[in-house]
Amino acid sequence: LSGCDSGFGQATARHLDIMGFRVFASVLDLQSPGAQELRRSCSPRLTLLQMDLTKTEDIQRVLQHIQAHTNSTGLWGLVNNAGFNDTIADAELSPLGKFRTCMEVNFFGSLELTKGLLPLLRSASGRIVTVSSPAGDMPFPCLAAYGASKAALSLVMDTFRSELQPWGIKVSLILPGYYKTGTTCDPDFWNLHKQRLLASLPQELLQAYGEEYVEEINQQFIQFMKVAVEDLSAVVNSITDGLLAANPAVRYYPGQGLGIMYFIHRYLPYFVRDLFLKGFFINPKLPRALRREHHNDVKK
């Protein structure tokens, strides 16, 4: 189970431990408050492992540890939960490095871990459960880097689902709504990364969009996350069902409002979809350069 420092990973690790499972829980930092909380609240069956999904040596160390402890039995379940995003900005304003980091953690890291554990999962005819995001299915404004990585993750897991059927492995995706997890609802975290983004932007881009444009979309995002759900149990229950149900769902949608969102996404015209996502999530004002042109046209 990856990404157990906080949020879904931490809650799921605790839940599976209470149910009596032997849990291998990976955290970014063994001394983090989340890791210490798991040590306090879980049984000795739970093993905490340090892993940064951007580091092959970390992943290999975790694979070796799990192989050494499950060689005779195989591994029943893998939960790919770790995820990363620290940028709320248009795709043009998001540095290429942010796209790469999202892909490294959310896609390549999870892919490497999954491929490494597949021999053990095949021997147990086990389960793979992966936490993706509706942002990987729909063009949410200002989430291109995160959404692109989750789209890649969803697609590769769907491919595994099809390819691993002969081995008896069942693969499920979890696409949660809006939940308070980790730093997602911490205004200080987002304000710090907004300032770093503004400092890194080329002058021409900053002129075209305007500092106030970036401030506005970040404020809207922080406001949006204030209504995020604190109770993570719907997501934990979906992950558990994916691991234990005789016939788990291919996709789980825990959270409010996802039904109407996917209905609009699948059946209504593009302009309605775009309007809905802007109204629901972030609706950027016009960039500075376009506002100036508009002002000049009015004067003429």
Side-chain angles (χ1 to χ4, degrees):
L1 175 57
S2 66
C4 296
D5 297 83
S6 62
F8 304 141
Q10 190 192 44
T12 304
R14 194 182 299 116
H15 181 67
L16 293 173
D17 179 71
I18 289 166
M19 292 179 76
F21 288 98
R22 178 148 197 222
V23 179
F24 298 96
S26 86
V27 291
L28 200 53
D29 178 5
L30 286 169
Q31 302 310 316
S32 70
Q36 289 174 353
E37 172 59 32
L38 283 175
R39 274 195 204 94
R40 274 198 305 274
S41 61
C42 293
S43 75
R45 281 188 310 273
L46 181 125
T47 305
L48 278 175
L49 300 166
Q50 190 279 326
M51 180 173 66
D52 179 340
L53 278 172
T54 65
K55 294 179 177 167
T56 291
E57 58 271 25
D58 279 19
I59 295 172
Q60 291 306 315
R61 194 181 62 245
V62 165
L63 291 176
Q64 284 163 11
H65 182 96
I66 294 173
Q67 280 159 359
H69 288 83
T70 59
N71 243 339
S72 56
T73 58
L75 182 69
W76 175 251
L78 162 63
V79 180
N80 288 306
N81 165 70
F84 170 83
N85 182 44
D86 68 358
T87 305
I88 305 299
D90 293 48
E92 187 179 12
L93 297 174
S94 303
L96 208 55
K98 296 297 183 186
F99 282 85
R100 287 205 172 95
T101 307
C102 281
M103 288 299 286
E104 283 296 332
V105 178
N106 302 338
F107 177 71
F108 286 111
S110 296
L111 177 61
E112 188 175 347
L113 186 64
T114 302
K115 282 170 68 68
L117 290 172
L118 267 174
L120 292 167
L121 289 160
R122 281 192 286 105
S123 70
S125 293
R127 305 288 171 88
I128 301 169
V129 179
T130 301
V131 179
S132 189
S133 170
D137 285 332
M138 305 175 212
F140 277 76
C142 306
L143 281 186
Y146 177 72
S149 67
K150 288 294 193 177
L153 179 67
S154 293
L155 188 113
V156 81
M157 289 300 158
D158 220 19
T159 308
F160 275 135
R161 181 189 55 75
S162 168
E163 292 174 350
L164 295 172
Q165 274 175 343
W167 295 95
I169 292 177
K170 292 183 165 67
V171 181
S172 299
L173 275 176
I174 316 285
L175 298 116
Y178 306 93
Y179 288 88
K180 284 188 163 72
T181 61
T183 52
T184 55
C185 298
D186 178 4
D188 291 340
F189 174 85
W190 294 109
N191 283 325
L192 171 68
H193 286 282
K194 174 198 69 189
Q195 293 304 339
R196 287 179 180 169
L197 175 69
L198 286 169
S200 73
L201 284 178
Q203 201 54 39
E204 188 275 327
L205 266 186
L206 197 56
Q207 288 287 310
Y209 280 85
E211 199 168 315
E212 66 284 359
Y213 179 90
V214 178
E215 298 273 0
E216 167 74 16
I217 56 180
N218 274 269
Q219 279 310 115
Q220 284 191 36
F221 176 75
I222 289 167
Q223 282 299 117
F224 175 78
M225 291 315 292
K226 282 182 180 170
V227 300
V229 178
E230 287 191 48
D231 179 4
L232 307 184
S233 59
V235 180
V236 173
N237 291 340
S238 295
I239 293 170
T240 307
D241 197 74
L243 288 171
L244 300 181
N247 290 298
V250 171
R251 286 183 161 217
Y252 293 86
Y253 300 95
Q256 296 296 308
L258 292 180
I260 184 72
M261 191 185 294
Y262 273 91
F263 176 83
I264 289 168
H265 175 67
R266 285 184 182 136
Y267 298 112
L268 297 186
Y270 280 107
F271 79 92
V272 178
R273 290 165 40 178
D274 292 347
L275 278 174
F276 172 77
L277 285 175
K278 284 178 180 172
F280 170 74
F281 185 54
I282 291 174
N283 190 4
K285 290 194 165 73
L286 273 179
R288 182 190 286 165
L290 295 176
R291 287 203 310 275
R292 197 165 53 239
E293 284 168 19
H294 176 72
H295 182 65
N296 290 342
D297 287 347
V298 170
K299 276 204 299 195
K300 283 176 197 168

